Amino acid sequence: MRIDVVTIFPAFFDVLEVSLLGRARGAGLLDIRVHDLRDHATDRHRTVDDTPYGGGAGMVMKPEPWALALDEIATLDEGEAADAASGPLFIFPSPAGERFTQATAREWSAEQHLVFGCGRYEGIDERVFAYAATIGRVRLVSLGDYVLNGGEVAAMAMIEAVGRLVPGVVGNPDSLVEESHEDGLLEYPSYTKPASWRGYDVPGVLLSGHHGRVAQWRREQQIERTRTRRPDLLAD
Ligand SMILES: Nc1ccccc1-c1cnco1
Protein backbone atom coordinates (compact mmCIF):
# COMPACT_ATOMS: atom_id res chain seq x y z
CA MET A 1 0.00 0.00 0.00
CA ARG A 2 1.11 3.49 -0.87
CA ILE A 3 0.15 6.32 1.50
CA ASP A 4 0.75 10.00 0.69
CA VAL A 5 0.26 12.74 3.26
CA VAL A 6 -0.09 16.44 2.39
CA THR A 7 0.48 18.84 5.29
CA ILE A 8 2.06 22.17 6.24
CA PHE A 9 3.75 20.31 9.13
CA PRO A 10 5.67 17.46 7.42
CA ALA A 11 7.93 16.95 10.45
CA PHE A 12 4.85 15.91 12.40
CA PHE A 13 4.97 12.59 10.55
CA ASP A 14 8.63 11.80 11.35
CA VAL A 15 7.26 9.43 13.99
CA LEU A 16 6.22 7.14 11.13
CA GLU A 17 9.92 6.25 10.81
CA VAL A 18 9.76 4.28 14.07
CA SER A 19 7.93 1.32 15.61
CA LEU A 20 5.58 -1.00 13.75
CA LEU A 21 4.86 1.26 10.81
CA GLY A 22 8.55 2.18 10.53
CA ARG A 23 9.42 -1.51 10.21
CA ALA A 24 6.63 -2.00 7.67
CA ARG A 25 8.07 0.83 5.58
CA GLY A 26 11.51 -0.77 5.76
CA ALA A 27 10.01 -4.08 4.67
CA GLY A 28 8.35 -2.43 1.68
CA LEU A 29 4.84 -3.25 2.95
CA LEU A 30 3.95 0.43 3.31
CA ASP A 31 5.23 3.16 0.98
CA ILE A 32 4.56 6.34 2.99
CA ARG A 33 5.44 9.70 1.40
CA VAL A 34 4.99 13.04 3.20
CA HIS A 35 4.58 16.27 1.18
CA ASP A 36 4.84 19.89 2.33
CA LEU A 37 1.88 21.79 0.91
CA ARG A 38 4.00 24.96 0.84
CA ASP A 39 6.18 23.36 -1.86
CA HIS A 40 3.13 23.76 -4.13
CA ALA A 41 2.40 27.39 -3.28
CA THR A 42 2.46 29.71 -6.33
CA ASP A 43 4.11 32.78 -4.78
CA ARG A 44 7.52 33.48 -3.33
CA HIS A 45 6.06 33.76 0.16
CA ARG A 46 4.77 30.18 -0.18
CA THR A 47 1.28 31.34 0.81
CA VAL A 48 -1.28 28.59 1.43
CA ASP A 49 -4.13 30.50 3.09
CA ASP A 50 -6.24 33.63 2.64
CA THR A 51 -9.25 35.39 4.17
CA PRO A 52 -12.68 33.74 3.90
CA TYR A 53 -15.27 35.00 1.36
CA GLY A 54 -18.31 36.10 3.30
CA GLY A 55 -16.19 37.29 6.21
CA GLY A 56 -15.63 35.62 9.55
CA ALA A 57 -12.63 34.87 11.71
CA GLY A 58 -9.63 32.85 10.66
CA MET A 59 -8.16 31.91 7.31
CA VAL A 60 -9.07 29.35 4.63
CA MET A 61 -6.55 27.19 2.74
CA LYS A 62 -6.20 28.32 -0.88
CA PRO A 63 -7.33 25.83 -3.56
CA GLU A 64 -4.47 26.08 -6.08
CA PRO A 65 -1.62 24.72 -3.91
CA TRP A 66 -3.85 21.76 -3.01
CA ALA A 67 -4.74 21.03 -6.64
CA LEU A 68 -1.05 21.15 -7.65
CA ALA A 69 -0.10 18.81 -4.79
CA LEU A 70 -2.91 16.33 -5.46
CA ASP A 71 -2.24 16.36 -9.22
CA GLU A 72 1.43 15.51 -8.65
CA ILE A 73 0.59 12.71 -6.23
CA ALA A 74 -2.18 11.22 -8.39
CA THR A 75 0.13 11.03 -11.42
CA LEU A 76 3.53 10.43 -9.73
CA ASP A 77 3.64 6.63 -10.19
CA GLU A 78 0.94 5.93 -12.72
CA GLY A 79 2.70 8.16 -15.24
CA GLU A 80 -0.51 9.65 -16.57
CA ALA A 81 -3.29 11.66 -14.98
CA ALA A 82 -5.59 9.52 -12.85
CA ASP A 83 -9.31 9.53 -13.41
CA ALA A 84 -11.82 9.30 -10.56
CA ALA A 85 -12.25 5.54 -10.76
CA SER A 86 -8.59 4.57 -11.22
CA GLY A 87 -7.21 7.30 -8.98
CA PRO A 88 -6.30 7.19 -5.28
CA LEU A 89 -8.67 7.41 -2.33
CA PHE A 90 -8.36 11.00 -1.07
CA ILE A 91 -9.06 11.25 2.67
CA PHE A 92 -9.56 14.67 4.30
CA PRO A 93 -9.87 14.58 8.10
CA SER A 94 -12.69 16.97 8.97
CA PRO A 95 -14.99 17.70 11.91
CA ALA A 96 -17.73 17.79 9.25
CA GLY A 97 -16.87 14.28 8.02
CA GLU A 98 -18.37 10.82 8.22
CA ARG A 99 -17.37 8.90 11.37
CA PHE A 100 -14.21 6.80 11.08
CA THR A 101 -14.64 3.31 12.57
CA GLN A 102 -12.81 0.00 12.57
CA ALA A 103 -15.01 -0.98 9.63
CA THR A 104 -13.66 2.03 7.74
CA ALA A 105 -10.10 0.97 8.58
CA ARG A 106 -10.79 -2.56 7.31
CA GLU A 107 -12.37 -1.22 4.11
CA TRP A 108 -9.43 1.10 3.40
CA SER A 109 -6.79 -1.55 4.20
CA ALA A 110 -7.63 -3.16 0.85
CA GLU A 111 -6.85 0.02 -1.10
CA GLN A 112 -3.67 0.37 -3.18
CA HIS A 113 -3.19 4.11 -2.73
CA LEU A 114 -4.44 6.42 0.04
CA VAL A 115 -3.81 10.18 0.12
CA PHE A 116 -4.39 12.06 3.39
CA GLY A 117 -4.98 15.82 2.99
CA CYS A 118 -4.40 17.57 6.33
CA GLY A 119 -6.25 20.87 6.59
CA ARG A 120 -5.39 23.65 9.02
CA TYR A 121 -6.83 27.08 9.83
CA GLU A 122 -10.61 27.21 9.27
CA GLY A 123 -10.40 24.50 6.65
CA ILE A 124 -9.73 23.92 2.96
CA ASP A 125 -11.56 25.78 0.13
CA GLU A 126 -14.54 23.51 -0.62
CA ARG A 127 -13.76 23.48 -4.36
CA VAL A 128 -10.65 21.35 -3.64
CA PHE A 129 -12.90 18.38 -2.78
CA ALA A 130 -14.85 18.82 -6.03
CA TYR A 131 -11.58 18.94 -7.98
CA ALA A 132 -10.13 15.93 -6.15
CA ALA A 133 -13.24 13.95 -7.12
CA THR A 134 -12.21 14.32 -10.78
CA ILE A 135 -8.90 12.48 -10.17
CA GLY A 136 -9.89 10.05 -7.43
CA ARG A 137 -12.47 9.12 -4.81
CA VAL A 138 -12.97 11.57 -1.92
CA ARG A 139 -13.89 11.00 1.76
CA LEU A 140 -14.22 13.63 4.47
CA VAL A 141 -13.79 11.77 7.76
CA SER A 142 -14.11 12.61 11.46
CA LEU A 143 -12.49 10.74 14.37
CA GLY A 144 -15.11 11.98 16.80
CA ASP A 145 -17.09 14.94 18.06
CA TYR A 146 -14.29 17.15 19.32
CA VAL A 147 -12.20 19.94 17.84
CA LEU A 148 -8.59 19.58 16.75
CA ASN A 149 -6.35 22.31 15.34
CA GLY A 150 -5.80 20.44 12.11
CA GLY A 151 -5.98 17.12 10.33
CA GLU A 152 -2.52 15.80 11.22
CA VAL A 153 -3.41 14.05 14.49
CA ALA A 154 -6.48 12.48 12.88
CA ALA A 155 -4.48 11.39 9.83
CA MET A 156 -1.84 9.79 12.05
CA ALA A 157 -4.49 7.82 13.92
CA MET A 158 -6.10 6.63 10.69
CA ILE A 159 -2.74 5.73 9.12
CA GLU A 160 -1.98 3.54 12.12
CA ALA A 161 -5.46 1.97 12.22
CA VAL A 162 -5.32 1.15 8.50
CA GLY A 163 -1.61 0.37 8.19
CA ARG A 164 -1.65 -2.30 10.90
CA LEU A 165 -4.35 -4.19 8.96
CA VAL A 166 -2.22 -4.44 5.81
CA PRO A 167 -1.15 -8.11 5.48
CA GLY A 168 2.32 -8.69 6.92
CA VAL A 169 2.50 -5.48 8.95
CA VAL A 170 1.45 -7.13 12.22
CA GLY A 171 3.55 -10.25 12.88
CA ASN A 172 0.79 -12.44 14.28
CA PRO A 173 -2.49 -11.88 12.37
CA ASP A 174 -4.35 -13.74 15.15
CA SER A 175 -3.77 -10.69 17.34
CA LEU A 176 -5.91 -8.66 14.96
CA VAL A 177 -8.95 -10.75 15.72
CA GLU A 178 -9.46 -10.45 19.50
CA GLU A 179 -9.45 -6.69 19.65
CA SER A 180 -11.98 -4.09 20.63
CA HIS A 181 -14.38 -3.34 17.82
CA GLU A 182 -13.24 -6.20 15.59
CA ASP A 183 -16.40 -8.14 16.53
CA GLY A 184 -18.45 -5.09 17.40
CA LEU A 185 -17.72 -5.45 21.12
CA LEU A 186 -15.13 -4.00 23.48
CA GLU A 187 -12.28 -6.36 24.30
CA TYR A 188 -12.13 -8.39 27.52
CA PRO A 189 -9.72 -7.46 30.38
CA SER A 190 -6.16 -8.84 30.22
CA TYR A 191 -3.85 -10.05 33.00
CA THR A 192 -0.29 -11.38 33.27
CA LYS A 193 2.04 -12.59 36.07
CA PRO A 194 2.06 -12.42 39.05
CA ALA A 195 -1.31 -14.13 39.83
CA SER A 196 -1.56 -12.04 43.02
CA TRP A 197 -0.21 -8.48 43.00
CA ARG A 198 -0.55 -5.96 45.84
CA GLY A 199 -3.65 -7.81 47.03
CA TYR A 200 -5.22 -7.85 43.57
CA ASP A 201 -5.83 -11.39 42.26
CA VAL A 202 -6.25 -12.55 38.68
CA PRO A 203 -9.79 -13.99 38.15
CA GLY A 204 -9.56 -17.70 39.04
CA VAL A 205 -11.14 -18.91 35.78
CA LEU A 206 -8.05 -17.63 33.90
CA LEU A 207 -5.85 -19.89 36.03
CA SER A 208 -8.12 -22.93 35.58
CA GLY A 209 -6.62 -24.16 32.30
CA HIS A 210 -10.21 -24.83 31.17
CA HIS A 211 -10.25 -23.18 27.72
CA GLY A 212 -14.01 -23.41 27.29
CA ARG A 213 -14.69 -21.65 30.58
CA VAL A 214 -12.04 -19.02 29.78
CA ALA A 215 -13.67 -18.32 26.41
CA GLN A 216 -17.11 -18.03 28.01
CA TRP A 217 -15.85 -15.70 30.76
CA ARG A 218 -14.11 -13.50 28.20
CA ARG A 219 -17.25 -13.24 26.08
CA GLU A 220 -19.30 -12.33 29.14
CA GLN A 221 -16.76 -9.64 30.02
CA GLN A 222 -16.92 -8.22 26.47
CA ILE A 223 -20.71 -8.00 26.59
CA GLU A 224 -20.76 -6.50 30.11
CA ARG A 225 -18.11 -3.91 29.27
CA THR A 226 -19.85 -2.94 26.04
CA ARG A 227 -23.22 -2.71 27.78
CA THR A 228 -21.90 -0.39 30.50
CA ARG A 229 -19.36 1.69 28.53
CA ARG A 230 -20.64 1.70 24.94
CA PRO A 231 -24.34 0.76 24.82
CA ASP A 232 -24.46 2.47 21.43
CA LEU A 233 -22.44 -0.42 19.96
CA LEU A 234 -25.14 -2.87 21.03
CA ALA A 235 -27.90 -0.74 19.50
CA ASP A 236 -26.71 -1.43 15.91
N1 LIG B 1 -11.36 19.13 14.34
C1 LIG B 1 -10.65 18.98 13.16
C2 LIG B 1 -10.02 20.06 12.54
C3 LIG B 1 -9.30 19.88 11.35
C4 LIG B 1 -9.21 18.62 10.79
C5 LIG B 1 -9.83 17.52 11.39
C6 LIG B 1 -10.56 17.69 12.57
C7 LIG B 1 -11.21 16.51 13.19
C8 LIG B 1 -11.20 15.21 12.72
N2 LIG B 1 -11.91 14.46 13.58
C9 LIG B 1 -12.35 15.26 14.56
O1 LIG B 1 -11.93 16.55 14.33
Side-chain angles (χ1 to χ4, degrees):
M1 175 186 287
R2 180 174 149 195
I3 298 175
D4 289 274
V5 184
V6 181
T7 172
I8 59 172
F9 296 119
F12 182 91
F13 294 90
D14 288 355
V15 72
L16 289 174
E17 298 290 334
V18 298
S19 83
L20 186 77
L21 294 186
R23 284 198 300 275
R25 290 179 85 175
L29 292 167
L30 294 176
D31 172 10
I32 302 177
R33 310 177 196 189
V34 182
H35 310 263
D36 187 341
L37 180 66
R38 292 191 191 281
D39 291 344
H40 301 276
T42 54
D43 67 319
R44 63 193 176 91
H45 297 297
R46 292 162 61 86
T47 309
V48 294
D49 64 320
D50 204 335
T51 53
Y53 278 119
M59 304 286 272
V60 175
M61 299 189 99
K62 295 165 63 68
E64 186 62 10
W66 276 103
L68 294 173
L70 299 184
D71 273 343
E72 179 183 285
I73 289 166
T75 55
L76 212 52
D77 272 4
E78 287 79 2
E80 69 282 340
D83 59 47
S86 68
L89 181 63
F90 292 110
I91 298 156
F92 295 94
S94 167
E98 308 159 42
R99 189 67 178 274
F100 180 78
T101 66
Q102 187 63 16
T104 318
R106 273 200 300 274
E107 177 192 328
W108 292 355
S109 67
E111 290 284 339
Q112 291 304 310
H113 188 186
L114 303 180
V115 181
F116 287 86
C118 300
R120 279 269 151 175
Y121 308 109
E122 296 312 307
I124 301 171
D125 186 298
E126 191 71 13
R127 294 167 289 181
V128 170
F129 309 132
Y131 177 73
T134 68
I135 56 173
R137 290 152 294 143
V138 177
R139 299 284 184 280
L140 271 66
V141 181
S142 168
L143 286 194
D145 298 332
Y146 41 81
V147 181
L148 302 171
N149 290 328
E152 285 79 7
V153 166
M156 184 72 79
M158 291 190 269
I159 289 168
E160 174 154 323
V162 175
R164 64 193 297 278
L165 295 180
V166 171
V169 171
V170 169
N172 176 5
D174 291 346
S175 65
L176 293 177
V177 178
E178 293 189 337
E179 293 184 316
S180 282
H181 304 293
E182 266 307 321
D183 55 4
L185 296 172
L186 301 186
E187 61 190 10
Y188 51 75
S190 297
Y191 302 85
T192 189
K193 301 180 189 61
S196 184
W197 170 74
R198 293 192 182 198
Y200 299 101
D201 295 339
V202 170
V205 64
L206 300 180
L207 310 178
S208 69
H210 194 296
H211 300 302
R213 289 189 193 138
V214 170
Q216 182 184 346
W217 180 85
R218 284 174 166 174
R219 186 71 177 175
E220 289 164 358
Q221 290 292 313
Q222 281 188 277
I223 293 167
E224 177 58 18
R225 280 181 148 198
T226 308
R227 190 181 63 78
T228 53
R229 298 177 188 174
R230 289 293 306 277
D232 59 296
L233 294 177
L234 294 176
D236 290 349

